[in-house]
Amino acid sequence: MQTRVAFTVLCALLAGCAQQPQTAQEFREAIPGAFMGKVQTFEAKRPLAAVAKTFQARAPDCLNVSVRSVSQSSTSYQNILTVYKATVVNNPQKAELHLQRDFKSGVLVPGKVPPGGLYYVVADATPIDKSRTRIDIYGPSVGTDTLVRAINGWATGENLGCPDMTK
Amino acid sequence: MMRSFIILAAASVLAACSSLKPYPSVAPENVVVKSAIESGSVLSSMRGAVHIHEVDASCHTSYVGTVKLDRPSIALGLPAERPSYLVFVFQGSSLFGGSTSSAGAGTVLKPRPGYRYEFAVSYKDNIYNVVLRESDPRRGASREVPRQELRGCSA
């Protein structure tokens, strides 16, 4: 968690006065060229409708969480409250999972924060054929391993568990 | 929605531990919790527990006690026809100290008389899952019960 917060702050500082992505589409466009941004793609051997249904069932349940991170040393004290918000958008051609996070305390974010918080990860599911689905995940290249594995598990249907967002 | 999920870290967890008490034995034992919890690292440990709260008609909770998930299978009793709020927590700590974290999932359960309930709880590689099944021993029927949030509960 500390690593991810530090990474976010670093990105924000490097971004300077740059405009934060205000929509999922702006986030998709920004990530490929962003410092430590990454697009991961994999295939799920399930139809889009099944993937979409699992996203709808699991994402709100697992990802609408609050994480409080407290660290203290002899010279510093840090208390960060992060509220995550998951949104699933389904239509016959595509299923989208948007994860935003809003730093309620402990982090100063330059630029305008979109409603719901900064975009953190966006996952798109699109059909390859009737029985297979392509998953594209846009997000940071570090600190999202557990989250990406969880989304992968939902997409494939092999693991419906929730990611421990403190990790 | 996952507002019933609260994930806390560090000091808040440690502070909460001081007020924990064992969940009292209630007959009949109508709930079994089967757990498989792995830390995933030799440098850290992971422990599981379930905090049990009573829920009143206004959906307000009152803490009753905690059951440590330190065995693969644990039986406990919840009062039938009265809602209880169960919060499963997974608390990790580093062997070298300095950091602890806790993730959890909560659900309201209002046991039906004569029915049995089984929670399958897992934590592995930083991914956790809590699945509840209800079974009727008289008919042999079983079904998965979706998690119910505390908000909007109907006591």
Side-chain angles (χ1 to χ4, degrees), chain B residues 11-57:
Chain B
S12 56
V13 172
L14 295 174
C17 291
S18 60
S19 58
L20 298 183
K21 59 183 179 183
Y23 179 71
S25 175
V26 175
E29 291 185 331
N30 52 357
V31 176
V32 173
V33 181
K34 294 188 174 178
S35 58
I37 298 170
E38 298 179 20
S39 69
S41 167
V42 294
L43 299 177
S44 63
S45 64
M46 181 62 64
R47 290 175 296 171
V50 53
H51 305 307
I52 299 168
H53 307 254
E54 293 177 340
V55 184
D56 67 17

Side-chain angles (χ1 to χ4, degrees), chain A residues 31-146:
Chain A
I31 279 294
F35 173 69
M36 296 182 81
K38 188 176 182 181
V39 183
Q40 299 178 69
T41 299
F42 61 91
E43 179 184 319
K45 291 181 172 53
R46 294 207 301 163
L48 173 65
V51 174
K53 188 176 179 182
T54 309
F55 278 5
Q56 190 72 62
R58 300 308 290 153
D61 214 21
C62 291
L63 301 180
N64 286 342
V65 298
S66 300
V67 175
R68 183 176 295 282
S69 172
V70 179
S71 62
Q72 188 169 9
S73 71
S74 59
T75 57
S76 68
Y77 175 79
Q78 192 177 46
N79 186 334
I80 298 171
L81 176 61
T82 309
V83 177
Y84 291 87
K85 178 191 173 194
T87 305
V88 176
V89 181
N90 285 339
N91 65 55
Q93 290 78 40
K94 190 177 185 183
E96 303 177 21
L97 192 169
H98 309 160
L99 182 62
Q100 296 171 263
R101 61 179 182 178
D102 198 5
F103 296 104
K104 296 294 187 185
S105 66
V107 177
L108 291 175
V109 180
K112 181 184 175 187
V113 177
L118 297 173
Y119 282 88
Y120 183 45
V121 165
V122 169
D124 293 335
T126 51
I128 298 172
D129 55 32
K130 285 185 178 179
S131 59
R132 296 180 301 155
T133 302
R134 171 188 165 120
I135 312 295
D136 296 303
I137 300 178
Y138 301 79
S141 59
V142 296
T144 55
D145 292 357
T146 300

Side-chain angles (χ1 to χ4, degrees), chain A residues 58-71 83-84 146 149-150 159-167, chain B residues 1-12 46 90 92-93 101-103 123-129 147:
Chain A
R58 300 308 290 153
D61 214 21
C62 291
L63 301 180
N64 286 342
V65 298
S66 300
V67 175
R68 183 176 295 282
S69 172
V70 179
S71 62
V83 177
Y84 291 87
T146 300
R149 279 193 292 111
N159 188 341
L160 303 182
C162 298
D164 183 345
M165 298 296 280
T166 67
K167 303 299 182 187
Chain B
M1 295 292 289
M2 158 78 185
R3 304 214 195 280
S4 57
F5 279 57
I6 304 294
I7 297 182
L8 301 173
S12 56
M46 181 62 64
F90 308 97
S93 59
S101 63
S102 180
Y123 187 106
K124 185 179 181 184
D125 297 334
N126 299 331
I127 291 180
Y128 61 91
N129 208 358
R147 190 176 302 143

